[in-house]
Coordinates of all heavy atoms in Angstrom, one line a residue:
N1 N 114.5 -23.7 40.6 CA 113.6 -22.7 40.2 C 114.1 -21.3 40.4 O 115.2 -21.1 41.0 CB 112.2 -22.8 40.9 CG 112.3 -22.6 42.4 OD1 113.0 -21.8 42.9 ND2 111.5 -23.4 43.1
Q2 N 113.5 -20.3 39.9 CA 114.0 -18.9 39.9 C 114.1 -18.4 41.4 O 115.1 -17.7 41.7 CB 113.1 -18.0 39.1 CG 113.7 -16.6 39.0 CD 115.0 -16.5 38.3 OE1 115.4 -17.3 37.5 NE2 115.8 -15.5 38.7
A3 N 113.2 -18.7 42.2 CA 113.2 -18.2 43.6 C 114.4 -18.8 44.3 O 115.1 -18.1 45.1 CB 111.9 -18.7 44.3
S4 N 114.8 -20.0 44.0 CA 116.0 -20.6 44.6 C 117.3 -19.9 44.1 O 118.2 -19.6 44.9 CB 116.1 -22.1 44.3 OG 115.0 -22.8 44.9
K5 N 117.3 -19.5 42.9 CA 118.5 -18.8 42.3 C 118.6 -17.5 42.9 O 119.7 -17.0 43.3 CB 118.3 -18.7 40.8 CG 118.5 -20.0 40.0 CD 118.2 -19.7 38.5 CE 118.2 -21.0 37.8 NZ 117.9 -20.8 36.4
I6 N 117.5 -16.8 43.1 CA 117.5 -15.5 43.8 C 118.0 -15.6 45.2 O 118.8 -14.8 45.7 CB 116.1 -14.8 43.7 CG1 115.7 -14.5 42.3 CG2 116.1 -13.5 44.5 CD1 114.2 -14.2 42.1
M7 N 117.5 -16.5 45.9 CA 117.9 -16.7 47.3 C 119.4 -17.1 47.4 O 120.1 -16.6 48.3 CB 117.1 -17.8 48.0 CG 115.6 -17.4 48.3 SD 115.5 -15.8 49.2 CE 116.4 -16.1 50.7
E8 N 119.9 -17.8 46.4 CA 121.3 -18.2 46.4 C 122.2 -16.9 46.2 O 123.2 -16.7 46.8 CB 121.6 -19.1 45.2 CG 123.0 -19.5 45.1 CD 123.3 -20.4 43.9 OE1 122.4 -21.3 43.6 OE2 124.3 -20.3 43.2
L9 N 121.7 -16.0 45.3 CA 122.4 -14.7 45.1 C 122.3 -13.8 46.4 O 123.3 -13.2 46.7 CB 121.9 -14.0 43.9 CG 122.3 -14.7 42.6 CD1 121.5 -14.2 41.4 CD2 123.8 -14.3 42.3
I10 N 121.2 -13.8 47.0 CA 121.1 -13.0 48.3 C 122.1 -13.6 49.3 O 122.8 -12.8 50.0 CB 119.6 -13.1 48.8 CG1 118.7 -12.2 47.9 CG2 119.5 -12.6 50.2 CD1 117.2 -12.3 48.2
E11 N 122.2 -14.9 49.4 CA 123.1 -15.4 50.4 C 124.5 -15.1 50.0 O 125.4 -14.8 50.9 CB 122.9 -17.0 50.5 CG 121.6 -17.4 51.2 CD 121.5 -16.8 52.6 OE1 122.5 -16.8 53.4 OE2 120.4 -16.3 52.9
S12 N 124.9 -15.1 48.7 CA 126.2 -14.7 48.3 C 126.5 -13.3 48.7 O 127.7 -13.0 49.1 CB 126.4 -15.0 46.8 OG 125.9 -14.0 46.0
G13 N 125.5 -12.4 48.5 CA 125.7 -11.0 48.9 C 126.1 -10.9 50.4 O 127.0 -10.2 50.8
K14 N 125.4 -11.6 51.2 CA 125.7 -11.6 52.7 C 127.1 -12.1 53.0 O 127.8 -11.5 53.7 CB 124.6 -12.5 53.4 CG 123.2 -11.9 53.4 CD 122.3 -13.0 54.2 CE 120.9 -12.7 54.0 NZ 120.1 -13.8 54.6
K15 N 127.4 -13.3 52.4 CA 128.7 -13.9 52.6 C 129.9 -13.0 52.1 O 131.0 -13.1 52.7 CB 128.8 -15.3 51.9 CG 127.9 -16.3 52.6 CD 128.0 -17.6 51.9 CE 127.0 -18.6 52.5 NZ 126.8 -19.8 51.8
E16 N 129.7 -12.3 51.0 CA 130.7 -11.5 50.4 C 130.9 -10.1 51.1 O 131.7 -9.3 50.7 CB 130.5 -11.4 48.9 CG 130.8 -12.7 48.2 CD 130.5 -12.5 46.7 OE1 129.8 -11.6 46.2 OE2 131.1 -13.4 46.0
G17 N 130.0 -9.8 52.1 CA 130.2 -8.6 52.9 C 129.3 -7.4 52.5 O 129.5 -6.4 53.1
A18 N 128.3 -7.6 51.6 CA 127.4 -6.5 51.4 C 126.5 -6.4 52.6 O 126.2 -7.4 53.3 CB 126.5 -6.8 50.2
K19 N 126.0 -5.2 52.9 CA 125.2 -5.0 54.1 C 123.7 -5.1 53.7 O 123.2 -4.4 52.8 CB 125.4 -3.6 54.7 CG 124.6 -3.3 55.9 CD 124.8 -1.9 56.4 CE 123.9 -1.7 57.6 NZ 124.0 -0.3 58.1
L20 N 123.0 -6.1 54.3 CA 121.6 -6.3 54.0 C 120.8 -5.2 54.8 O 120.8 -5.2 56.0 CB 121.2 -7.7 54.5 CG 119.7 -8.1 54.2 CD1 119.4 -8.1 52.7 CD2 119.4 -9.4 54.9
E21 N 120.2 -4.3 54.0 CA 119.4 -3.2 54.6 C 118.0 -3.6 55.0 O 117.5 -3.2 56.0 CB 119.4 -2.0 53.7 CG 120.8 -1.4 53.4 CD 121.4 -0.7 54.6 OE1 120.7 -0.4 55.6 OE2 122.6 -0.4 54.6
C22 N 117.4 -4.4 54.1 CA 116.1 -4.9 54.4 C 115.8 -6.1 53.5 O 116.4 -6.4 52.5 CB 115.0 -3.8 54.2 SG 114.8 -3.3 52.5
G23 N 114.8 -6.9 53.9 CA 114.3 -8.1 53.1 C 115.3 -9.2 53.3 O 115.9 -9.5 54.3
G24 N 115.5 -10.0 52.1 CA 116.4 -11.0 52.1 C 115.9 -12.4 52.4 O 116.6 -13.4 52.6
S25 N 114.5 -12.5 52.6 CA 113.9 -13.8 52.9 C 112.7 -14.1 52.0 O 112.2 -13.2 51.4 CB 113.4 -13.8 54.4 OG 114.4 -13.5 55.3
R26 N 112.4 -15.3 52.0 CA 111.1 -15.7 51.3 C 109.9 -15.3 52.1 O 110.0 -15.2 53.3 CB 111.1 -17.2 51.0 CG 112.1 -17.7 50.0 CD 111.9 -19.2 49.8 NE 111.5 -19.4 48.4 CZ 111.8 -20.4 47.7 NH1 112.5 -21.4 48.3 NH2 111.4 -20.5 46.5
V27 N 108.9 -14.9 51.4 CA 107.6 -14.6 52.0 C 106.9 -15.9 52.4 O 106.8 -16.8 51.6 CB 106.7 -13.8 51.1 CG1 105.4 -13.5 51.7 CG2 107.4 -12.5 50.7
K28 N 106.5 -16.0 53.7 CA 105.8 -17.2 54.2 C 104.5 -17.4 53.5 O 103.8 -16.5 53.1 CB 105.6 -17.1 55.7 CG 106.9 -17.1 56.4 CD 106.7 -17.1 57.9 CE 108.1 -17.0 58.6 NZ 108.0 -17.0 60.0
G29 N 104.2 -18.7 53.3 CA 102.9 -19.0 52.6 C 103.2 -19.7 51.3 O 104.3 -20.1 50.9
A30 N 102.2 -19.9 50.5 CA 102.3 -20.6 49.3 C 102.9 -19.7 48.2 O 102.9 -18.4 48.3 CB 100.9 -20.9 48.8
G31 N 103.6 -20.3 47.3 CA 104.2 -19.5 46.2 C 105.7 -19.4 46.4 O 106.3 -19.9 47.3
F32 N 106.3 -18.6 45.5 CA 107.7 -18.4 45.4 C 108.1 -17.0 45.6 O 109.0 -16.5 45.0 CB 108.3 -18.9 44.1 CG 108.1 -20.4 43.9 CD1 107.0 -20.9 43.1 CD2 108.9 -21.3 44.5 CE1 106.8 -22.3 43.0 CE2 108.8 -22.7 44.3 CZ 107.7 -23.2 43.6
F33 N 107.4 -16.3 46.5 CA 107.6 -14.9 46.7 C 108.8 -14.6 47.6 O 109.0 -15.3 48.6 CB 106.3 -14.2 47.2 CG 105.2 -14.3 46.3 CD1 104.2 -15.2 46.6 CD2 105.1 -13.5 45.2 CE1 103.1 -15.4 45.7 CE2 104.0 -13.7 44.3 CZ 103.0 -14.6 44.6
I34 N 109.5 -13.5 47.2 CA 110.7 -13.1 48.0 C 110.5 -11.6 48.4 O 110.0 -10.8 47.6 CB 112.0 -13.3 47.2 CG1 112.2 -14.7 46.8 CG2 113.2 -12.7 47.9 CD1 113.3 -15.0 45.9
Q35 N 110.9 -11.3 49.6 CA 110.7 -9.9 50.1 C 111.6 -9.0 49.2 O 112.7 -9.4 48.8 CB 111.2 -9.8 51.5 CG 110.5 -10.6 52.6 CD 111.2 -10.5 53.9 OE1 112.4 -10.4 54.0 NE2 110.4 -10.7 55.0
P36 N 111.1 -7.8 49.0 CA 112.0 -6.8 48.4 C 113.3 -6.7 49.2 O 113.2 -6.6 50.4 CB 111.2 -5.5 48.4 CG 109.7 -6.0 48.4 CD 109.8 -7.2 49.2
T37 N 114.4 -6.7 48.6 CA 115.7 -6.8 49.3 C 116.6 -5.7 48.8 O 116.7 -5.4 47.6 CB 116.3 -8.2 49.0 OG1 115.4 -9.2 49.4 CG2 117.7 -8.3 49.7
V38 N 117.3 -5.0 49.7 CA 118.2 -4.0 49.4 C 119.5 -4.3 50.1 O 119.6 -4.5 51.3 CB 117.7 -2.6 49.9 CG1 118.7 -1.5 49.6 CG2 116.3 -2.3 49.2
F39 N 120.6 -4.2 49.3 CA 122.0 -4.3 49.8 C 122.7 -3.0 49.6 O 122.6 -2.4 48.6 CB 122.8 -5.4 49.1 CG 122.5 -6.8 49.4 CD1 121.7 -7.6 48.6 CD2 123.0 -7.4 50.6 CE1 121.4 -8.9 48.9 CE2 122.7 -8.7 50.9 CZ 122.0 -9.5 50.1
S40 N 123.5 -2.6 50.6 CA 124.4 -1.4 50.5 C 125.8 -2.0 50.6 O 126.0 -3.1 50.9 CB 124.1 -0.4 51.5 OG 124.3 -0.8 52.8
N41 N 126.8 -1.0 50.5 CA 128.2 -1.4 50.5 C 128.6 -2.5 49.6 O 129.4 -3.4 49.9 CB 128.6 -1.8 52.0 CG 128.5 -0.6 52.9 OD1 128.6 0.6 52.5 ND2 128.2 -0.9 54.2
V42 N 128.0 -2.5 48.4 CA 128.3 -3.5 47.4 C 129.5 -3.0 46.6 O 129.7 -1.9 46.4 CB 127.1 -3.6 46.4 CG1 127.4 -4.6 45.3 CG2 125.8 -4.1 47.2
T43 N 130.4 -4.0 46.3 CA 131.6 -3.7 45.5 C 131.5 -4.4 44.2 O 130.7 -5.4 44.0 CB 132.9 -4.2 46.3 OG1 132.8 -5.6 46.4 CG2 133.0 -3.5 47.6
D44 N 132.3 -3.9 43.2 CA 132.2 -4.4 41.9 C 132.5 -5.9 41.7 O 132.0 -6.5 40.8 CB 133.1 -3.6 41.0 CG 132.7 -2.1 40.9 OD1 131.5 -1.9 40.9 OD2 133.6 -1.3 40.8
S45 N 133.3 -6.4 42.6 CA 133.7 -7.8 42.5 C 132.7 -8.8 43.1 O 132.8 -10.0 42.8 CB 135.0 -8.0 43.2 OG 134.9 -7.8 44.6
M46 N 131.7 -8.3 43.8 CA 130.7 -9.2 44.4 C 129.8 -9.9 43.3 O 129.5 -9.2 42.3 CB 129.8 -8.5 45.4 CG 130.6 -8.0 46.6 SD 129.5 -7.1 47.7 CE 130.6 -6.8 49.0
R47 N 129.4 -11.1 43.6 CA 128.5 -11.8 42.7 C 127.2 -11.0 42.4 O 126.7 -11.0 41.3 CB 128.2 -13.2 43.2 CG 127.6 -14.1 42.3 CD 127.5 -15.5 42.8 NE 126.6 -16.3 42.0 CZ 125.9 -17.3 42.4 NH1 126.0 -17.7 43.7 NH2 125.0 -17.9 41.6
I48 N 126.6 -10.4 43.4 CA 125.4 -9.7 43.2 C 125.6 -8.4 42.4 O 124.6 -7.9 41.9 CB 124.7 -9.3 44.6 CG1 125.6 -8.4 45.4 CG2 124.2 -10.5 45.3 CD1 125.0 -7.9 46.7
A49 N 126.8 -8.0 42.2 CA 127.1 -6.9 41.3 C 127.4 -7.4 39.9 O 127.2 -6.6 38.9 CB 128.3 -6.1 41.8
R50 N 127.8 -8.6 39.7 CA 128.3 -9.1 38.4 C 127.3 -9.9 37.7 O 127.4 -10.2 36.5 CB 129.6 -9.9 38.5 CG 130.7 -9.2 39.2 CD 131.2 -7.9 38.5 NE 131.5 -8.1 37.1 CZ 131.8 -7.1 36.3 NH1 131.7 -5.8 36.7 NH2 132.1 -7.3 35.0
E51 N 126.2 -10.4 38.4 CA 125.2 -11.3 37.8 C 123.9 -10.6 37.8 O 123.6 -9.9 38.8 CB 125.1 -12.6 38.5 CG 126.4 -13.4 38.3 CD 126.3 -14.8 39.0 OE1 125.2 -15.3 39.1 OE2 127.4 -15.3 39.4
E52 N 123.1 -10.8 36.8 CA 121.7 -10.3 36.8 C 120.8 -11.1 37.8 O 120.9 -12.3 37.7 CB 121.1 -10.3 35.4 CG 121.6 -9.2 34.5 CD 120.8 -9.1 33.2 OE1 120.8 -10.1 32.5 OE2 120.3 -8.1 33.0
I53 N 120.1 -10.4 38.6 CA 119.2 -11.0 39.5 C 117.8 -10.7 39.1 O 117.3 -9.6 39.2 CB 119.4 -10.4 41.0 CG1 120.9 -10.6 41.4 CG2 118.5 -11.2 42.0 CD1 121.2 -9.9 42.7
F54 N 117.1 -11.7 38.5 CA 115.8 -11.5 38.1 C 114.8 -11.7 39.2 O 114.1 -12.6 39.3 CB 115.4 -12.4 36.9 CG 116.1 -12.0 35.6 CD1 117.2 -12.7 35.2 CD2 115.7 -10.9 34.9 CE1 117.9 -12.3 34.0 CE2 116.4 -10.5 33.7 CZ 117.4 -11.3 33.3
G55 N 114.9 -10.7 40.1 CA 114.0 -10.7 41.3 C 114.1 -9.4 42.0 O 114.8 -8.5 41.6
P56 N 113.4 -9.3 43.2 CA 113.3 -8.0 43.9 C 114.5 -7.6 44.7 O 114.4 -7.6 45.9 CB 112.0 -8.2 44.7 CG 112.1 -9.6 45.1 CD 112.6 -10.3 43.8
V57 N 115.7 -7.4 44.1 CA 116.9 -7.2 44.8 C 117.5 -5.9 44.2 O 117.7 -5.8 43.0 CB 117.9 -8.3 44.7 CG1 119.2 -8.0 45.4 CG2 117.2 -9.6 45.2
Q58 N 117.9 -4.9 45.1 CA 118.5 -3.7 44.7 C 119.9 -3.7 45.3 O 120.0 -3.9 46.5 CB 117.7 -2.5 45.2 CG 118.3 -1.2 44.9 CD 118.4 -0.8 43.4 OE1 117.3 -0.9 42.8 NE2 119.5 -0.5 42.9
T59 N 120.9 -3.3 44.5 CA 122.3 -3.1 45.0 C 122.7 -1.7 45.0 O 122.4 -1.0 44.0 CB 123.3 -4.0 44.2 OG1 123.1 -3.6 42.8 CG2 123.0 -5.5 44.4
I60 N 123.3 -1.2 46.1 CA 123.7 0.2 46.2 C 125.2 0.3 46.3 O 125.8 -0.4 47.1 CB 123.0 0.9 47.4 CG1 121.5 0.8 47.2 CG2 123.5 2.3 47.5 CD1 120.8 1.3 48.5
F61 N 125.8 1.1 45.4 CA 127.3 1.2 45.4 C 127.7 2.6 45.8 O 127.0 3.6 45.5 CB 127.8 1.0 43.9 CG 127.5 -0.3 43.3 CD1 126.3 -0.6 42.8 CD2 128.5 -1.2 43.2 CE1 126.0 -1.8 42.2 CE2 128.3 -2.5 42.6 CZ 127.0 -2.8 42.1
K62 N 128.8 2.7 46.5 CA 129.4 4.0 46.8 C 130.3 4.4 45.6 O 130.8 3.5 44.9 CB 130.2 4.0 48.1 CG 129.4 3.8 49.3 CD 130.3 3.8 50.5 CE 129.5 3.7 51.8 NZ 130.3 3.7 53.0
F63 N 130.5 5.7 45.4 CA 131.4 6.2 44.4 C 131.9 7.5 44.8 O 131.4 8.2 45.6 CB 130.7 6.3 43.0 CG 129.6 7.3 42.9 CD1 129.9 8.6 42.5 CD2 128.3 7.0 43.3 CE1 128.9 9.5 42.4 CE2 127.3 7.9 43.2 CZ 127.6 9.2 42.8
K64 N 133.1 7.9 44.2 CA 133.7 9.2 44.5 C 133.6 10.2 43.3 O 133.5 11.3 43.5 CB 135.2 9.0 44.9 CG 135.3 8.2 46.2 CD 136.7 8.1 46.6 CE 136.7 7.4 48.0 NZ 138.1 7.0 48.4
T65 N 133.7 9.7 42.1 CA 133.7 10.6 40.9 C 132.7 10.1 39.9 O 132.3 8.9 39.8 CB 135.1 10.6 40.3 OG1 135.4 9.4 39.7 CG2 136.2 11.0 41.3
L66 N 132.3 11.1 39.1 CA 131.4 10.8 37.9 C 132.1 9.8 37.0 O 131.5 8.9 36.4 CB 130.9 12.0 37.2 CG 130.0 11.9 36.1 CD1 128.7 11.2 36.6 CD2 129.7 13.2 35.5
D67 N 133.4 10.0 36.7 CA 134.1 9.1 35.8 C 134.1 7.7 36.3 O 133.9 6.8 35.5 CB 135.6 9.6 35.7 CG 135.7 10.8 34.9 OD1 134.8 11.1 34.1 OD2 136.8 11.5 35.0
E68 N 134.1 7.5 37.6 CA 134.0 6.1 38.2 C 132.7 5.5 37.9 O 132.6 4.3 37.5 CB 134.3 6.2 39.7 CG 134.2 4.9 40.4 CD 134.3 5.0 41.9 OE1 134.6 6.1 42.4 OE2 134.1 4.0 42.6
V69 N 131.6 6.3 38.0 CA 130.3 5.8 37.8 C 130.1 5.4 36.3 O 129.6 4.4 35.9 CB 129.2 6.8 38.2 CG1 127.8 6.4 37.8 CG2 129.3 7.1 39.7
I70 N 130.6 6.3 35.4 CA 130.5 6.0 34.0 C 131.3 4.7 33.6 O 130.8 3.9 32.9 CB 131.0 7.2 33.2 CG1 130.0 8.4 33.3 CG2 131.2 6.9 31.7 CD1 130.5 9.7 32.8
K71 N 132.5 4.6 34.2 CA 133.3 3.4 33.9 C 132.5 2.2 34.4 O 132.5 1.2 33.6 CB 134.6 3.5 34.6 CG 135.5 2.3 34.3 CD 136.9 2.5 35.0 CE 137.7 1.2 34.8 NZ 138.9 1.2 35.6
R72 N 132.0 2.2 35.5 CA 131.2 1.0 36.0 C 130.0 0.7 35.1 O 129.7 -0.4 34.8 CB 130.6 1.3 37.4 CG 131.6 1.1 38.5 CD 130.9 1.4 39.8 NE 131.7 1.1 40.9 CZ 131.5 1.5 42.2 NH1 130.4 2.3 42.4 NH2 132.2 1.2 43.2
S73 N 129.3 1.8 34.7 CA 128.1 1.6 33.9 C 128.5 0.9 32.5 O 127.7 0.1 32.0 CB 127.5 2.9 33.6 OG 127.0 3.5 34.8
N74 N 129.7 1.3 32.0 CA 130.1 0.7 30.8 C 130.8 -0.6 30.9 O 131.1 -1.2 29.9 CB 131.0 1.8 30.1 CG 130.2 3.0 29.6 OD1 129.1 2.9 29.3 ND2 130.9 4.1 29.5
D75 N 131.1 -1.1 32.1 CA 131.8 -2.3 32.3 C 130.8 -3.5 32.6 O 131.0 -4.2 33.6 CB 132.8 -2.1 33.5 CG 133.6 -3.4 33.7 OD1 133.9 -4.1 32.7 OD2 134.0 -3.7 34.9
T76 N 129.8 -3.6 31.9 CA 128.8 -4.7 32.0 C 128.2 -5.0 30.7 O 128.1 -4.2 29.8 CB 127.7 -4.3 33.0 OG1 126.9 -5.4 33.2 CG2 126.9 -3.1 32.6
C77 N 127.9 -6.3 30.5 CA 127.2 -6.7 29.3 C 125.7 -6.7 29.6 O 124.9 -7.0 28.6 CB 127.7 -8.1 28.9 SG 127.4 -9.4 30.1
F78 N 125.3 -6.4 30.8 CA 123.9 -6.4 31.1 C 123.4 -4.9 31.0 O 124.1 -4.0 30.9 CB 123.6 -6.9 32.5 CG 124.1 -8.3 32.7 CD1 125.1 -8.5 33.7 CD2 123.6 -9.3 32.0 CE1 125.6 -9.8 33.8 CE2 124.1 -10.6 32.2 CZ 125.1 -10.9 33.1
G79 N 122.1 -4.8 31.1 CA 121.5 -3.4 31.2 C 120.1 -3.4 30.7 O 119.8 -2.8 29.6
L80 N 119.2 -4.0 31.4 CA 117.8 -4.0 31.0 C 117.2 -2.6 31.2 O 116.3 -2.2 30.5 CB 117.0 -5.0 31.8 CG 117.4 -6.4 31.6 CD1 116.6 -7.3 32.6 CD2 117.1 -6.9 30.2
A81 N 117.8 -1.8 32.1 CA 117.3 -0.5 32.4 C 118.5 0.3 33.0 O 119.4 -0.3 33.6 CB 116.1 -0.5 33.3
A82 N 118.5 1.6 32.8 CA 119.5 2.5 33.5 C 118.8 3.7 34.0 O 117.7 4.1 33.5 CB 120.5 2.9 32.4
G83 N 119.4 4.3 35.0 CA 118.8 5.5 35.6 C 119.9 6.4 36.1 O 121.0 6.0 36.5
C84 N 119.5 7.7 36.3 CA 120.4 8.6 36.8 C 119.6 9.6 37.7 O 118.6 10.2 37.2 CB 121.1 9.4 35.7 SG 122.2 10.7 36.3
I85 N 119.9 9.7 38.9 CA 119.1 10.5 39.8 C 120.1 11.6 40.4 O 121.1 11.2 41.1 CB 118.5 9.7 41.0 CG1 117.5 8.7 40.4 CG2 117.7 10.7 41.9 CD1 117.0 7.7 41.4
T86 N 119.8 12.8 40.1 CA 120.7 13.9 40.6 C 119.9 15.2 40.6 O 118.9 15.4 39.8 CB 121.9 14.1 39.7 OG1 122.7 15.1 40.2 CG2 121.6 14.3 38.3
K87 N 120.3 16.1 41.4 CA 119.7 17.5 41.4 C 120.4 18.4 40.4 O 120.0 19.5 40.1 CB 119.9 18.1 42.8 CG 119.0 17.4 43.8 CD 119.2 18.1 45.2 CE 118.4 17.3 46.2 NZ 118.5 17.9 47.6
N88 N 121.6 17.9 39.9 CA 122.4 18.7 39.0 C 122.2 18.3 37.5 O 122.7 17.2 37.2 CB 123.9 18.6 39.4 CG 124.8 19.5 38.7 OD1 124.6 19.7 37.5 ND2 125.8 20.1 39.4
M89 N 121.6 19.1 36.7 CA 121.3 18.7 35.3 C 122.6 18.6 34.5 O 122.7 17.7 33.6 CB 120.4 19.7 34.7 CG 119.9 19.3 33.3 SD 119.1 17.7 33.3 CE 117.4 18.2 33.4
D90 N 123.7 19.3 34.8 CA 124.9 19.2 34.1 C 125.5 17.8 34.4 O 126.1 17.2 33.5 CB 125.9 20.3 34.6 CG 125.5 21.7 34.1 OD1 124.8 21.8 33.1 OD2 126.0 22.7 34.7
T91 N 125.4 17.3 35.6 CA 125.9 16.0 36.0 C 125.1 14.9 35.2 O 125.7 14.0 34.6 CB 125.8 15.8 37.5 OG1 126.6 16.7 38.2 CG2 126.3 14.4 37.9
A92 N 123.8 15.1 35.2 CA 123.0 14.1 34.4 C 123.4 14.1 33.0 O 123.5 13.0 32.4 CB 121.5 14.5 34.6
M93 N 123.6 15.2 32.3 CA 124.0 15.3 30.9 C 125.3 14.7 30.7 O 125.5 14.0 29.7 CB 123.9 16.7 30.4 CG 122.5 17.3 30.4 SD 121.3 16.3 29.5 CE 121.8 16.5 27.9
M94 N 126.3 14.9 31.6 CA 127.6 14.3 31.4 C 127.5 12.8 31.6 O 128.2 12.1 30.8 CB 128.6 14.9 32.5 CG 129.0 16.3 32.2 SD 129.9 17.2 33.5 CE 131.2 16.0 33.9
Y95 N 126.7 12.3 32.5 CA 126.5 10.9 32.6 C 125.9 10.3 31.4 O 126.4 9.3 30.8 CB 125.7 10.6 33.8 CG 125.4 9.1 34.0 CD1 126.3 8.2 34.5 CD2 124.2 8.6 33.6 CE1 126.1 6.9 34.6 CE2 123.9 7.2 33.7 CZ 124.9 6.4 34.2 OH 124.6 5.0 34.3
I96 N 124.9 10.9 30.9 CA 124.2 10.4 29.7 C 125.1 10.4 28.5 O 125.1 9.4 27.7 CB 122.9 11.3 29.4 CG1 121.9 11.1 30.4 CG2 122.4 11.0 28.0 CD1 120.8 12.1 30.4
Q97 N 125.9 11.4 28.3 CA 126.9 11.4 27.2 C 128.0 10.3 27.4 O 128.5 9.9 26.4 CB 127.5 12.8 27.1 CG 126.5 13.8 26.6 CD 127.0 15.2 26.7 OE1 128.2 15.5 27.1 NE2 126.2 16.2 26.3
G98 N 128.3 10.0 28.6 CA 129.4 9.0 28.8 C 129.0 7.6 28.8 O 129.9 6.7 28.5
V99 N 127.8 7.3 29.0 CA 127.3 5.9 29.1 C 127.0 5.4 27.7 O 126.4 6.0 26.9 CB 126.1 5.7 30.0 CG1 125.5 4.4 29.9 CG2 126.4 6.1 31.4
R100 N 127.6 4.2 27.4 CA 127.3 3.5 26.2 C 126.1 2.5 26.4 O 126.3 1.4 26.9 CB 128.5 2.7 25.7 CG 129.7 3.5 25.3 CD 130.9 2.7 24.8 NE 131.2 1.5 25.6 CZ 132.0 1.4 26.6 NH1 132.7 2.4 26.9 NH2 132.2 0.2 27.2
A101 N 125.0 2.9 26.0 CA 123.8 2.1 26.1 C 123.5 1.4 24.8 O 123.6 2.1 23.7 CB 122.6 2.9 26.5
S102 N 123.2 0.2 24.8 CA 122.9 -0.5 23.6 C 121.7 -1.5 23.8 O 121.3 -1.8 24.8 CB 124.1 -1.3 23.1 OG 124.7 -2.1 24.0

């Protein structure tokens, strides 16, 4: 079932060295609920970075340059949603122009 697939991906994140910031477990009781889960220190090669997780899991990546972020954004066949959070409108516009959304 989907909950088992999500838990398998959460476990892979832990094993591959991502830092579990919160969550990561099933909610006790009836049903297939999973705690909202956040990983930091995620790298591009990790399974949680390369596969879509249809569940309450957020991955956080470090980056050094805007070009690196754009390259990462364009290096995926997935993309149900995209976002850009910044205080600098020039940076946001450069990101929007560089990302190939389809």
Side-chain angles (χ1 to χ4, degrees):
N1 65 34
Q2 185 62 27
S4 296
K5 290 177 187 177
I6 296 167
M7 290 307 301
E8 180 184 324
L9 285 163
I10 289 171
E11 289 305 313
S12 78
K14 293 177 192 176
K15 288 178 185 170
E16 291 179 337
K19 182 179 178 190
L20 180 65
E21 297 290 346
C22 66
S25 300
R26 288 183 116 149
V27 175
K28 294 181 181 181
F32 296 98
F33 299 104
I34 296 171
Q35 296 173 333
T37 301
V38 178
F39 282 104
S40 64
N41 296 331
V42 177
T43 62
D44 295 326
S45 63
M46 291 179 179
R47 190 171 166 209
I48 59 173
R50 302 303 304 171
E51 296 183 25
E52 282 189 300
I53 305 173
F54 288 104
V57 180
Q58 176 68 53
T59 53
I60 300 172
F61 298 78
K62 290 183 179 180
F63 65 92
K64 292 184 180 170
T65 68
L66 182 60
D67 287 338
E68 178 185 353
V69 174
I70 292 169
K71 182 179 177 188
R72 278 183 174 163
S73 296
N74 290 332
D75 184 32
T76 181
C77 59
F78 303 118
L80 297 175
C84 178
I85 300 170
T86 180
K87 293 179 181 181
N88 185 320
M89 189 55 99
D90 290 337
T91 299
M93 295 306 291
M94 288 173 49
Y95 176 78
I96 291 166
Q97 290 171 1
V99 172
R100 294 184 315 267
S102 54

